[in-house]
Amino acid sequence: MTRFLVRSASLAFAMALLVVGTGRADAGDEDDDGRAESRNMKLVGFNDLQARSAYQPIVHEQGGRSIAYVGHHGGEALNTLNNTVEKNGTSVVDVTNPRRPKYLFHIAGPSGVGEAGGAQMVRACSAKDLPNANLNADPNRNKHYILRATASSHEVYDVTNPSTPILVNTVVANLKNTHKSWWQCDTGIAYLVTDGTDLVHATPSQPNWRTTRMTQVFDLSNPVNPKFIRNYGLAGQQPGATGANPTGVHGMIELGDRLYFGHGTGSNGIMQIVDRTKLLDATKCATPPSANFRTNPTEADLLCPQLGRLDTVPTMGAHTTFPVIQQPVPDFAASPNRVRDFVVLVNEAGGNKCSDNRQMVYIVDITTPSKPTGIANHHVPAASGNFCARGGRFGSHSSNESFTTVFYGKLVFASWFNAGVRAIDIREPFSPREVGFFIPRTTARTDPRPEGCKLGVDNPCDIVIQTNNVEVDGRGLVYIVDRANTGMHILRLTGEAAKIAGLPSDDD
């Protein structure tokens, strides 16, 4: 399984960097984190991301630098680099020195508010990892690319110089709905969440899919020349189907020869385990594929790659599906089932002041993929921080998605809206426990909640942190971004949490 893990910086380098960073963070107007709430996590650096509502951060190692790419919800803000108001898109931030993150560029997105605008999702690959990168243009394989999902398209940019991104091509355009896609660098295969009601690569006579979010699979092993592979979704969503219509896909994560799909966010969730080989090559199925399986699959075509499926209760979603494979269970050391496969299933909380379904993190045992079974959960009690009274959303949203060996199988980090980010020890998967958290302080740029309210006019109208997504890197740093325009916080672990990851702690 090791070859499927993201390559990380050496642990020695990570420890040296974090020891240097144990002093006061040079973090602009956030460098005094005295009003932040925390346990076993401390602020290293901060960038306000031009006060744009943030969704997904990733950190990509390129040319000896660590570059953060951050997707944004719709809206607009002033780009201070060119003094121009731009529609929210993708922020590019150099985090090589995490104490002094430097904003490099903003790639504007389309008009729209919330998920109807912006460019929420971004993934990155290096040419050296892509099997068929354009050698004529890059014989030394030095280029770097990002794949981003705007509200209406999927685009590839050359970010070899992250200060001047260049559009390479638009893979799919004229969409009404996108979301969390995945780009697997070692194969170049991309799984794009697209709008099933207005598909590209469909026959003119083909009826629409029965969902506004399904998956289109592309070969982006050469980003200059995308190749369409097939359309995919749950059985019952395909054109011409009747009966029950399952929830649309939210996103997916690939590890090894399997894909883990999450459908739904805060209700009617579905977690699906898919065999990648059969998804990409339908001739591997027990029965021959239908004539039009690439664009207009039958139910049998869709069921063939499916290894397992878990339908949640109606009040529970399936926002993020993070696989933890071949995980030793210390308490089972003497048992034949001592090594297990799991998915960390995270749901998205909604509403204001706890007015919607309460969401949390679940651990699902998938050792037998055809019979996924929930075995544990992690819950942050509202009373522990008077969170329901604070305003905004309270509850889980997403987990980190990097497989860096610094944390994999030890700690998972989950964003929790007004409860910040929570560090969860999963070494005993049947008994996950919280070992740290960080809730940033608000700033003058934090947008009031619920969205659209006006201070001094509307009641309720609260200034409150809304930690939206989280990611980690091979240096042992944690990155969180805020839905309410506060910015990006770069964190390090201390105390027990640091020791679990094998990182230096303040006690060392």
Side-chain angles (χ1 to χ4, degrees), residues 370-455:
S370 62
K371 298 182 184 299
T373 304
I375 50 93
N377 69 72
H378 177 67
H379 174 53
V380 178
S384 65
N386 200 24
F387 292 115
C388 288
R390 294 192 184 198
R393 299 193 195 188
F394 166 64
S396 61
H397 183 219
S398 67
S399 73
N400 62 281
E401 299 181 0
S402 167
F403 297 110
T404 175
T405 53
V406 177
F407 296 122
Y408 190 72
K410 307 170 192 173
L411 295 170
V412 164
F413 300 88
S415 56
W416 223 272
F417 289 118
N418 70 9
V421 62
R422 322 302 287 201
I424 306 169
D425 179 356
I426 59 166
R427 291 174 300 170
E428 285 280 7
F430 288 80
S431 306
R433 65 189 185 94
E434 185 170 290
V435 293
F437 66 86
F438 188 90
I439 308 173
R441 68 177 178 90
T442 60
T443 71
R445 309 192 83 173
T446 304
D447 191 53
R449 303 283 111 167
E451 295 181 43
C453 73
K454 296 180 181 180
L455 286 174

Side-chain angles (χ1 to χ4, degrees), residues 79-355:
N79 184 345
T80 54
L81 299 178
N82 59 20
N83 202 34
T84 302
V85 174
E86 294 177 346
K87 303 298 182 183
N88 291 355
T90 309
S91 287
V92 184
V93 186
D94 189 330
V95 294
T96 308
N97 181 349
R99 299 179 67 189
R100 294 180 175 87
K102 182 180 179 182
Y103 199 98
L104 299 179
F105 198 85
H106 176 250
I107 311 172
S111 299
V113 177
E115 294 185 5
Q120 295 176 79
M121 195 62 228
V122 60
R123 302 291 184 191
C125 286
S126 301
K128 64 181 177 62
D129 297 323
L130 292 166
N132 300 309
N134 188 355
L135 293 178
N136 292 328
D138 183 26
N140 296 319
R141 291 184 178 268
N142 291 324
K143 287 187 177 294
H144 300 270
Y145 301 94
I146 61 169
L147 169 67
R148 73 169 190 164
T150 77
S152 57
S153 65
H154 293 279
E155 303 169 340
V156 175
Y157 280 79
D158 181 335
V159 292
T160 309
N161 181 349
S163 296
T164 56
I166 300 169
L167 179 65
V168 173
N169 61 55
T170 300
V171 183
V172 185
N174 302 316
L175 299 171
K176 300 188 184 82
N177 214 327
T178 67
H179 212 54
K180 293 191 68 170
S181 300
W182 186 264
W183 192 10
Q184 189 66 23
C185 299
D186 61 353
T187 63
I189 303 301
Y191 307 90
L192 309 182
V193 176
T194 61
D195 183 2
T197 63
D198 189 19
L199 275 182
V200 179
H201 297 286
T203 60
S205 61
Q206 176 186 324
N208 291 334
W209 282 61
R210 302 175 70 207
T211 178
T212 56
R213 283 183 181 167
M214 44 77 70
T215 302
Q216 291 197 289
V217 186
F218 278 81
D219 181 350
L220 295 184
S221 59
N222 180 0
V224 176
N225 184 28
K227 296 180 180 179
F228 172 71
I229 296 177
R230 68 174 297 179
N231 296 328
Y232 188 69
L234 289 171
Q237 295 175 336
Q238 74 273 19
T242 59
N245 186 4
T247 312
V249 68
H250 178 266
M252 68 293 290
I253 296 177
E254 180 181 340
L255 182 63
D257 59 359
R258 294 179 181 177
L259 281 140
Y260 303 87
F261 287 83
H263 300 257
T265 55
S267 62
N268 299 308
I270 299 168
M271 185 199 73
Q272 184 193 29
I273 307 168
V274 168
D275 182 318
R276 182 186 67 179
T277 300
K278 292 179 179 179
L279 176 67
L280 300 181
D281 184 359
T283 65
K284 303 293 186 182
C285 294
T287 57
S290 65
N292 297 318
F293 83 94
R294 296 184 185 277
T295 57
N296 192 5
T298 65
E299 180 173 314
D301 294 330
L302 298 179
L303 287 175
C304 166
Q306 180 175 291
L307 297 174
R309 168 173 162 166
L310 173 68
D311 288 56
T312 71
V313 296
T315 57
M316 173 182 166
H319 181 284
T320 306
T321 49
F322 183 71
V324 181
I325 305 304
Q326 290 297 283
Q327 175 79 349
V329 182
D331 198 50
F332 295 3
S335 303
N337 63 337
R338 60 186 175 273
V339 178
R340 315 288 294 166
D341 294 340
F342 301 95
V343 163
V344 179
L345 180 62
V346 189
N347 306 328
E348 178 180 1
N352 187 59
K353 292 191 172 182
C354 300
S355 61

